[in-house]
């Protein structure tokens, strides 16, 4: 077999219906964007799962390193003043 | 109801059943897994269209034949599909080019049927036109990819163009059984679609860097039940159960 | 759809006890493990092997049923079967994708399959001789697969669990499709009923074997269970399957080919006879009726398709190059 390279991997995002965001639903292999779009349609919307499809070459996704999790996300843990329950409002004020 | 219209609809249904059958032979054997899903999607659309057409033809005929009686219960000479539909699949280039030719033609055909004076056919067409539009798009992309891919894929695509050239002409030969339906605005005149079809093929061939097919002598006869030798073998599989176990429920 | 008890795994861990303990603590806390998370090499390797075997089973599983697509007895059955076999391809695709998040490529996995080195569910090495086999496979083989797969939706590895949720959702029609075929045959002519009984006779024992070797003989159950890759033992799942299937066979009016099969009042379960493990191991090791033919069919598809994949890549490069020239010219 002379085929040295592998056909690239793409990530597929589907909007189930208008009003909802596109959501990651899986991956596939495709040589070009049109092929990826069609494959996404053929693979991931066989049961009417979507009204809109995004495909993105997996290699183009920039992801945070899980090793950095503490550095990136722990600092947000103690900022409780960002949450509504931090503030004391008397009950007789009603829903706020 | 004129038996001619029934015969014309059966011919149309046969096109879809036989080509869908051929395409389904690829399931599990495609060049890549994504295509193992794409081809059955097309085949399922075609089989669905065949079912709608057989059922309607059976109703018009009023002789109690349902979709299965029509699909499985006839002798080879009574099948009226275009010859291009029954040809063996060949390689992936041949399969995709045949499918592109057919989808491009059917897209034009169904667009016309959408305004048919027959409401049932117009409804079938409204669904089928969307399906054939997608089939056309999928297969045209492959024709372009393979035509303008590697030397080998270009060679295979050129071979497919040559092999299929004698069979494309049959799309545009008037079905004698359809004459009345054409006159009544029930079905379109296929000859009138030839120009648009050729323009579509040309446009895709330019993108695919393929030379246009040479004009050759057209093979014909499918609509009169004159088939290739491949047809009998196809029917042997298609009809195996109904022949071995007649008149049973499955 | 067709996971089988994992066969042949034997990995040593080299990580520090501290690392392993921290990882186990995450698992015990029901945290999901995601692709880039630190994980023991053996966890990764076990998953690659299990997901790979599972994916291969889906792909090989397309062949025995695909054998009847062109011969299905009615148009309704034809469409349903084609859609089902297509689904198996989709499930293989989802699973390969899940395995790819662990650093193995689909190409590598495919090459392993077509070289004959990879394992897959041994049941697909049996032939589909009659239309009733399509019913029996849907009913029994998909039924057995569901027993296996539902727990996998809660597996500790996120991408595998997510793929399985999708698979199980799509799968729900497969078993019903098979049972409906059997029901029509069982209610049909004597020839049809005989066809159904014959298929059940041939597929029953291989279906029980699908759950893998008995618990005592399974090398990896323990570690896989601790890592929550596996949630039930092979024998537990097999028992659940027998208990669910016996009444379904009775409803069909068909008999199961096991004289030892009997309701165990005290245990609240069906007892069943001894499985022929010699046959099981022979088929696993490549001596089933169709092992070679199955792999050869996939090898042919892969090799015959090479020029198509090469052309698609070559065309994509040309297209990209033309695009960048066009942009440069602006």
């Amino acid at each position: 077999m002379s085929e040295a390279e592998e056909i690239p991997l793409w990530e597929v995002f589907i909007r189930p219906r208008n009003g909802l965001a596109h959501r990651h639903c899986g991956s596939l292999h495709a040589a070009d964007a049109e092929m990826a779009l069609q494959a996404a349609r053929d693979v991931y919307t066989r049961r009417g799962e979507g009204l809109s499809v995004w495909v993105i070459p997996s290699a183009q996704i920039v992801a945070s390193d899980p090793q950095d999790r503490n550095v990136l996300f722990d600092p947000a843990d103690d900022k409780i003043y960002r949450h509504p329950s931090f503030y004391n409002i008397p009950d007789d004020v009603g829903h706020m | 109801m004129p038996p001619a219209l029934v015969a014309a609809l059966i011919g149309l249904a046969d096109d879809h059943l036989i080509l869908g059958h051929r395409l389904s032979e690829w399931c599990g054997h495609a060049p890549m897994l994504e295509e193992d899903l794409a081809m059955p999607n097309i085949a399922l659309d075609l089989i669905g269209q065949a079912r709608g057409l057989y059922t309607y033809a059976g109703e018009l005929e009023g002789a109690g034949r349902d979709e299965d009686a029509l699909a499985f219960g006839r002798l080879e000479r009574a099948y009226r599909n275009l010859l291009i539909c029954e040809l063996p699949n060949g390689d992936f280039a041949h399969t995709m080019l045949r499918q592109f030719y057919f989808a491009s033609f059917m897209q034009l055909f169904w667009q016309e049927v959408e305004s048919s004076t027959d409401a049932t056919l117009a409804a079938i067409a409204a669904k089928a036109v969307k399906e054939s539009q997608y089939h056309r798009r999928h297969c045209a992309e492959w024709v372009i990819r393979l035509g303008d891919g590697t030397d080998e894929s270009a060679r295979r695509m050129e071979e497919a163009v040559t092999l299929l050239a004698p069979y494309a002409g049959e799309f545009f030969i008037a079905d004698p059984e359809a004459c009345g339906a054409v006159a009544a605005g029930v079905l379109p005149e296929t000859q009138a679609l030839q120009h648009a079809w050729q323009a579509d093929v040309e446009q895709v061939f330019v993108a695919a860097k393929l030379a246009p097919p040479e004009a050759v002598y057209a093979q014909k006869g499918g609509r009169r039940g004159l088939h290739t030798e491949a047809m009998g073998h196809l029917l042997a599989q298609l009809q195996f159960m109904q022949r071995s176990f007649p008149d049973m429920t499955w | 759809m067709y996971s089988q008890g994992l066969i042949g795994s034997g990995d040593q861990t080299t990580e520090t006890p501290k690392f392993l303990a921290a990882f186990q603590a995450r698992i015990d806390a029901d945290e999901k493990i995601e692709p880039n998370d630190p994980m023991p090499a053996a966890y990764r390797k076990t998953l690659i092997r299990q997901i790979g075997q599972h994916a291969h089973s889906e792909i090989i599983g397309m062949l025995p049923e695909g054998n009847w697509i062109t011969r299905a007895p009615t148009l309704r059955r034809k469409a349903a079967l084609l859609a089902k076999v297509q689904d198996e391809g989709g499930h293989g695709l989802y699973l390969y994708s899940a395995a790819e998040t662990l650093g193995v490529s689909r190409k590598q996995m495919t090459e392993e399959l077509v070289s004959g080195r990879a394992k897959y569910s041994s049941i697909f090495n049996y032939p589909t001789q009659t239309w009733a086999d399509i019913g029996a496979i849907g009913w029994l083989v998909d039924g057995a697969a569901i027993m296996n797969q539902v727990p996998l939706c809660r597996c500790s590895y996120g991408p595998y669990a997510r793929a399985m949720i999708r698979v199980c959702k799509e799968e729900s029609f497969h078993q019903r499709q098979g049972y409906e075929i059997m029901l029509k045959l069982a209610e049909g002519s004597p020839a049809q009923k005989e066809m159904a009984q014959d298929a059940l006779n041939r597929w029953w024992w291989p279906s029980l074997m699908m759950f893998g070797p008995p618990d005592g003989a399974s090398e990896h159950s323990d570690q896989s269970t601790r890592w929550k890759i596996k949630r039930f033992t092979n024998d537990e799942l097999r028992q659940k399957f027998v208990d669910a299937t016996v009444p379904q066979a009775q409803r069909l009016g068909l008999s199961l080919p096991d004289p030892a099969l009997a309701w165990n009042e005290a245990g609240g379960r069906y007892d069943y006879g001894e499985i022929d493990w010699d046959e099981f191991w022979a088929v696993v090791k490549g001596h089933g009726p169709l092992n070679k033919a199955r792999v050869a069919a996939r090898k042919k598809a892969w090799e015959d398709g090479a020029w198509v994949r090469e052309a698609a890549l070559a065309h994509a490069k040309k297209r990209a190059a033309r695009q960048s020239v066009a942009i440069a010219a602006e």
Side-chain angles (χ1 to χ4, degrees):
Chain A
M1 176 129 359
S2 57
E3 185 190 22
E5 252 180 285
E6 177 153 31
I7 291 186
L9 189 67
W10 298 65
E11 300 304 321
V12 179
F13 299 79
I14 290 188
R15 184 203 296 286
R17 57 174 195 274
N18 281 13
L20 297 177
H22 285 79
R23 201 175 154 189
H24 183 246
C25 70
S27 330
L28 50 81
H29 287 267
D32 58 61
E34 175 67 18
M35 194 193 236
L37 214 48
Q38 291 184 8
R41 179 261 192 196
D42 283 324
V43 173
Y44 289 104
T45 69
R46 300 198 305 289
R47 290 168 168 83
E49 292 95 331
L51 296 178
S52 166
V53 175
W54 287 351
V55 287
I56 295 145
S58 308
Q60 305 248 327
I61 289 181
V62 181
S64 65
D65 186 337
Q67 310 274 15
D68 292 345
R69 195 167 82 174
N70 299 343
V71 177
L72 292 175
F73 308 115
D74 281 4
D77 281 355
D78 62 355
K79 310 294 192 294
I80 49 174
Y81 42 79
R82 287 191 172 121
H83 300 280
S85 56
F86 179 72
Y87 302 95
N88 297 315
I89 304 289
D91 287 349
D92 58 301
V93 176
H95 177 71
M96 181 178 277
Chain B
M1 191 47 66
L5 177 59
V6 172
L9 294 181
I10 288 175
L12 198 54
D14 288 344
D15 292 344
H16 290 79
L17 173 64
I18 300 302
L19 187 57
H21 180 103
R22 278 292 185 223
L23 202 53
S24 76
E25 292 173 9
W26 273 101
C27 188
H29 309 276
M32 56 192 288
L33 204 39
E34 282 71 9
E35 214 52 35
D36 261 322
L37 275 88
M39 285 192 282
N41 268 352
I42 299 178
L44 285 166
D45 285 344
L46 297 179
I47 291 168
Q49 290 156 13
R51 294 179 68 182
L53 290 164
Y54 282 134
T55 301
Y56 187 43
E59 282 166 21
L60 291 179
E61 185 186 47
R65 289 201 287 182
D66 64 5
E67 59 174 29
D68 291 323
L70 288 168
F72 299 98
R74 289 173 290 147
L75 295 174
E76 177 176 332
R77 289 285 275 108
Y79 282 82
R80 310 191 65 244
N81 56 282
L82 301 171
L83 299 178
I84 196 168
C85 300
E86 74 196 46
L87 298 178
N89 284 331
D91 64 10
F92 188 69
H94 185 267
T95 297
M96 280 296 130
L97 183 65
R98 182 235 310 255
Q99 209 66 45
F100 165 63
Y101 281 173
F102 185 78
S104 171
F105 171 72
M106 285 315 303
Q107 186 185 336
L108 296 165
F109 184 90
W110 289 124
Q111 274 165 1
E112 294 295 318
V113 182
E114 272 191 293
S115 52
S116 168
T117 53
D118 182 307
T120 307
L121 287 176
I124 292 176
K127 184 167 178 295
V129 76
K130 288 180 268 184
E131 294 172 343
S132 53
Q133 200 173 342
Y134 181 76
H135 305 167
R136 187 219 156 268
R137 176 173 164 183
H138 184 78
C139 301
E141 284 293 326
W142 272 114
V143 171
I144 293 167
R145 254 178 228 122
L146 298 177
D148 185 24
T150 60
D151 289 347
E152 179 177 7
S153 71
R155 176 184 60 74
R156 287 174 180 268
M157 202 35 101
E158 281 157 21
E159 271 174 29
V161 171
T162 307
L163 286 169
L164 287 168
Y167 296 96
E170 203 183 2
F171 287 131
F172 310 105
I173 296 170
D175 176 2
E177 303 284 5
C179 289
V182 171
V186 171
L187 290 174
E189 189 187 356
T190 58
Q191 215 179 341
L193 307 175
Q194 186 160 13
H195 187 72
W197 182 82
Q198 269 165 349
D200 188 28
V201 171
E202 256 172 51
Q203 171 206 324
V204 169
F205 274 33
V206 168
K209 298 190 163 46
L210 284 166
E214 280 177 48
V216 293
Y217 183 76
Q219 294 297 320
K220 49 190 177 286
R223 292 280 187 246
R224 285 180 293 132
L226 302 172
H227 293 282
T228 67
E229 287 185 350
M231 185 66 175
H233 297 277
L234 186 155
L235 291 180
Q237 293 207 6
L238 181 78
Q239 300 183 338
F240 168 72
M241 289 298 291
Q242 294 282 349
R243 294 289 178 209
S244 307
F245 305 92
D247 304 321
M248 293 183 193
T249 307
W250 304 95
Chain C
M1 78 178 235
Y2 303 121
S3 95
Q4 167 171 280
L6 181 68
I7 292 164
S9 175
D11 305 313
Q12 304 293 316
T13 43
T14 52
E15 289 85 1
T16 63
K18 192 178 154 206
F19 175 84
L20 292 173
F23 183 76
Q24 190 61 50
R26 291 188 65 189
I27 300 272
D28 292 343
D30 268 334
E31 261 189 68
K32 292 284 182 209
I33 308 302
E34 294 296 341
N36 295 323
D37 286 349
M39 62 182 89
Y43 177 82
R44 180 186 302 274
K45 213 169 162 187
T46 304
L47 274 170
I48 289 176
R49 198 168 292 154
Q50 175 164 336
I51 302 172
Q53 283 183 14
H54 194 164
H56 296 327
S57 301
E58 302 283 352
I59 299 304
I60 294 285
M62 297 174 82
L63 300 171
E65 290 180 281
N67 185 36
W68 279 89
I69 291 172
T70 58
R71 290 181 293 170
T74 66
L75 293 180
R76 178 174 178 269
R77 294 281 176 219
K78 198 181 194 65
L81 180 58
L82 183 52
K84 177 177 189 270
V85 179
Q86 180 195 39
D87 272 356
E88 317 300 2
H91 299 169
L93 196 156
Y94 309 154
L95 289 161
Y96 281 136
S97 300
E100 281 178 284
T101 63
L102 291 159
V104 56
S105 74
R106 191 201 290 178
K107 185 162 174 271
Q108 280 172 290
M109 289 183 279
T110 306
E111 280 164 0
E112 201 163 295
L113 176 66
V114 302
S115 72
R117 291 194 306 274
K119 295 269 184 285
Y120 55 84
S121 191
S122 49
I123 197 152
F124 301 116
N125 293 315
Y126 292 87
T128 50
Q129 283 181 270
T130 72
W131 171 250
D133 291 19
I134 300 307
I137 288 182
W139 170 37
L140 299 174
V141 178
D142 287 79
I146 289 166
M147 295 288 168
N148 247 323
Q149 293 181 158
V150 169
L152 286 173
C153 295
R154 294 187 295 122
C155 151
S156 63
Y157 187 58
Y160 192 22
R162 289 193 287 276
M164 290 318 300
I165 288 170
R166 198 177 181 92
V167 167
C168 287
K169 217 187 263 178
E170 295 190 355
E171 191 106 309
S172 49
F173 97 79
H174 293 186
Q175 193 187 13
R176 291 170 66 95
Q177 178 255 177
Y179 194 74
E180 195 196 75
I181 290 174
M182 294 302 274
L183 203 57
K184 283 282 176 213
L185 295 173
E187 291 167 349
S189 69
Q192 283 173 302
K193 191 163 182 181
E194 194 187 315
M195 195 192 290
Q197 182 63 58
D198 171 60
L200 175 54
N201 292 348
R202 284 181 289 113
W203 291 95
W204 173 249
W205 290 108
S207 299
L208 294 189
M209 293 176 197
M210 272 183 77
F211 295 93
D215 291 345
S218 176
E219 309 149 51
H220 269 71
S221 276
D222 291 353
Q223 184 57 65
S224 290
T225 306
R226 274 198 298 278
W227 277 335
K228 296 187 182 169
I229 295 173
K230 201 176 164 74
R231 294 265 180 173
F232 295 97
T233 71
N234 294 350
D235 284 336
E236 282 166 355
L237 291 169
R238 191 167 9 245
Q239 185 66 53
K240 270 171 82 148
F241 173 72
V242 172
D243 293 342
T245 310
V246 171
Q248 294 165 356
Q250 286 165 347
R251 173 67 182 75
L252 291 172
L254 299 176
S255 56
L256 292 164
D258 179 1
L261 190 79
W263 175 249
N264 179 328
E265 189 64 51
R269 58 161 200 272
Y270 285 95
D271 290 333
Y272 53 91
E274 185 62 27
I275 293 170
D276 183 352
W277 292 112
D278 289 344
E279 177 179 323
F280 172 77
W281 288 113
V283 177
V284 166
K285 287 175 181 148
H287 308 296
L290 290 175
N291 296 55
K292 288 182 181 62
R294 297 293 188 229
V295 171
R298 283 311 297 178
K299 187 170 194 280
K300 184 171 187 313
W302 180 244
E303 288 177 355
D304 286 356
W307 69 269
V308 177
R309 299 189 299 275
E310 279 164 21
L313 276 172
H315 178 75
K317 281 189 188 137
K318 287 186 194 177
R319 224 183 247 198
R322 279 200 289 268
Q323 227 159 33
S324 56
V325 168
I327 290 166
E330 271 170 15

